[in-house]
Amino acid sequence: MPSNIFATTGTNVSILFLDGSRHDSVVLVDASALGEKVKEGKNQKTLLSHAEEQRIVDIFNAREAVEDFSVVVDYDAIAAKNYSLSAGQYFEVKIAYEDLTPEQFSEKVAEATARLDTMFEEGRMLESEIKTRLAGLYA
């Protein structure tokens, strides 16, 4: 499930449905990308639409593997992963390779360096502010 599915917890939540009539495989659904984040008082919460809820139910009931959303794994595969039921461990990792010219590579490095410099500067400003506020506590 998405993080913040419950207003009082920011961690990802897993829901297990146990079906004693199924003995061959397990359906794992990664719904962490679903939902809309909304503010509820001081808390942020993620709400699933009815259509998203229905999609989860339908895929689970159909025992269907959907790319980047659900997998059907047998007990041997679960045993090989030390009995972990974390869905993400069973999805194929995809790496997209992109051919770059030396100029494009240099441009990307320059952009990353500029972003990093900005973050470092922001970090120095935050560090200074924290020190100032701490000094005010002792005054």
Side-chain angles (χ1 to χ4, degrees), residues 46-58:
T46 303
L47 297 177
L48 294 176
S49 70
H50 178 71
E52 290 170 324
E53 291 173 0
Q54 193 61 51
R55 179 180 181 205
I56 294 168
V57 170
D58 290 346

Side-chain angles (χ1 to χ4, degrees), residues 119-133:
M119 288 183 217
F120 282 152
E121 179 59 32
E122 183 180 338
R124 284 188 289 273
M125 289 177 8
L126 290 170
E127 181 181 347
S128 176
E129 183 179 337
I130 290 168
K131 287 179 180 178
T132 300
R133 290 183 183 212

Side-chain angles (χ1 to χ4, degrees), residues 1-131:
M1 300 303 289
S3 61
N4 296 31
I5 196 74
F6 302 113
T8 57
T9 179
T11 62
N12 288 343
V13 174
S14 295
I15 300 174
L16 298 177
F17 297 97
L18 303 175
D19 182 354
S21 68
R22 301 285 185 170
H23 299 288
D24 55 341
S25 60
V26 174
V27 179
L28 300 173
V29 176
D30 181 1
S32 62
L34 299 181
E36 177 186 351
K37 296 197 182 318
V38 295
K39 195 85 164 147
E40 189 175 270
K42 293 182 179 181
N43 298 316
Q44 181 170 303
K45 185 175 176 177
T46 303
L47 297 177
L48 294 176
S49 70
H50 178 71
E52 290 170 324
E53 291 173 0
Q54 193 61 51
R55 179 180 181 205
I56 294 168
V57 170
D58 290 346
I59 286 173
F60 179 79
N61 286 335
R63 304 185 60 73
E64 183 179 358
V66 175
E67 186 174 346
D68 295 329
F69 189 69
S70 64
V71 292
V72 180
V73 285
D74 62 29
Y75 292 145
D76 291 337
I78 294 170
K81 298 266 187 195
N82 204 24
Y83 297 96
S84 172
L85 294 176
S86 176
Q89 292 186 40
Y90 299 92
F91 287 99
E92 181 181 330
V93 176
K94 295 176 186 144
I95 300 173
Y97 292 97
E98 185 178 335
D99 289 331
L100 298 175
T101 65
E103 294 79 22
Q104 290 171 320
F105 178 77
S106 294
E107 184 179 309
K108 287 192 178 283
V109 169
E111 289 170 3
T113 301
R115 282 194 315 271
L116 187 58
D117 287 343
T118 301
M119 288 183 217
F120 282 152
E121 179 59 32
E122 183 180 338
R124 284 188 289 273
M125 289 177 8
L126 290 170
E127 181 181 347
S128 176
E129 183 179 337
I130 290 168
K131 287 179 180 178

